[in-house]
Amino acid sequence: PPHTFSSTYHLNVLDTTTNMMRRSSSIPSSPSPVRCVALLILCTISSSLGFTPPSPQLLGSISSNLSTKSTKLYNIYDDWSTDLLSTASSDYTYEDLILPFCDEEAVEECLEELMDSDYGKTMFGRHDMAANVGITGTLELISLEGPEATLSLIGKFWHRRETVLGKAAMYLNARMPEITSITVASAEDLNDFEEVTDEFTGEVLYVEDKRSPDFNGDRETMEYQGLDPDARGPFPPSVFGSGVKIIPT
């Protein structure tokens, strides 16, 4: 059945901001990788000059910290979306979430965080895993006028385009509560299907599917079962990226 939706997301900034501030906490952050590298270099120089070499315990601690930082896959979007900002599992806190400014550069930075996140690897075509199954979609900022940001959805998405805009809208509002409306330049940007018509008669020739291919049949299977495919995404969690069907044949 046809699906009706609005091309604009209006967000309740008061509720969003209040909830975040209630849950904010001040968790001491670990030393940055840059500081750890500098300390290692200093220890090496001190040793070469005849000073007492650093203890194995100190070097082990530094090495462990570097290893943890270099292998961490989450960015602030992943920590925010999985509710980790108020725990010791995150390098960020809710105090880090809200940006002190709101301009086009900040919006573009937040869109990059979303697209480069672990979650973004399942949604945007800039990543090999998504690109290999035909996903080419990306997000671009068209304009920022006061509290309203206008985005463009380009390419093919496995998710519904409305879902993609919704994810961006919620994150932009969380980072910059001043933004209360996120829209698209044209309502057609949110259509997952497009009617191709004869330019002379206006007759509908065919309907083009603007989504990326249902590469393993999971999307159709979930829709048939009455499930929302976007709630899980294109890749089964237990076999992340392997393309195994929900119901093996």
Side-chain angles (χ1 to χ4, degrees):
H3 179 57
T4 304
F5 49 80
S6 169
S7 61
T8 304
Y9 278 80
H10 296 284
L11 302 155
N12 189 328
V13 182
L14 180 60
D15 289 346
T16 303
T17 307
T18 301
N19 288 337
M20 287 191 298
M21 296 308 294
R22 282 176 179 171
R23 297 160 59 187
S24 65
S25 60
S26 54
I27 301 173
S29 57
S30 303
S32 69
V34 174
R35 292 176 62 187
C36 292
V37 171
L39 184 55
L40 280 173
I41 295 174
L42 179 60
C43 290
T44 303
I45 295 175
S46 299
S47 178
S48 65
L49 293 177
F51 294 106
T52 303
S55 67
Q57 292 82 1
L58 175 60
L59 290 178
S61 174
I62 295 172
S63 175
S64 174
N65 183 273
L66 282 172
S67 175
T68 300
K69 291 288 184 177
S70 62
T71 58
K72 184 173 177 61
L73 299 178
Y74 298 100
N75 68 8
I76 193 169
Y77 175 84
D78 292 307
D79 287 356
W80 168 76
S81 64
T82 54
D83 201 26
L84 290 177
L85 292 184
S86 59
T87 74
S89 300
S90 176
D91 286 341
Y92 308 95
T93 70
Y94 278 100
E95 293 176 354
D96 299 322
L97 184 65
I98 300 180
L99 295 175
F101 47 83
C102 177
D103 55 22
E104 291 189 357
E105 184 177 349
V107 173
E108 290 172 347
E109 176 185 336
C110 291
L111 293 178
E112 288 293 316
E113 290 170 350
L114 166 60
M115 291 190 286
D116 281 338
S117 66
D118 277 359
Y119 179 82
K121 292 177 183 178
T122 71
M123 181 175 278
F124 300 101
R126 61 172 57 191
H127 303 286
D128 291 342
M129 181 172 64
N132 288 340
V133 298
I135 298 172
T136 62
T138 189
L139 282 170
E140 288 187 3
L141 173 66
I142 299 300
S143 65
L144 177 65
E145 298 181 5
E148 181 174 314
T150 302
L151 307 180
S152 177
L153 281 68
I154 302 170
K156 291 181 175 291
F157 295 92
W158 190 93
H159 299 75
R160 292 191 304 274
R161 299 171 82 83
E162 182 184 10
T163 298
V164 178
L165 179 64
K167 293 290 185 182
M170 293 300 295
Y171 186 55
L172 288 176
N173 174 249
R175 294 283 267 156
M176 292 166 286
E178 300 92 336
I179 297 180
T180 58
S181 176
I182 290 87
T183 186
V184 288
S186 169
E188 295 179 355
D189 255 6
L190 295 184
N191 292 340
D192 294 313
F193 299 91
E194 181 179 3
E195 292 183 345
V196 178
T197 60
D198 186 288
E199 61 177 323
F200 300 107
T201 65
E203 179 185 358
V204 177
L205 302 177
Y206 61 92
V207 176
E208 179 184 358
D209 190 345
K210 294 167 62 177
R211 301 174 299 176
S212 66
D214 187 8
F215 65 99
N216 59 3
D218 280 4
R219 187 169 59 203
E220 182 179 2
T221 299
M222 285 185 279
E223 289 173 345
Y224 177 78
Q225 294 175 342
L227 304 175
D228 179 10
D230 290 0
R232 194 211 69 180
F235 307 109
S238 59
V239 285
F240 197 64
S242 68
V244 175
K245 289 176 174 288
I246 295 177
I247 306 174
T249 56

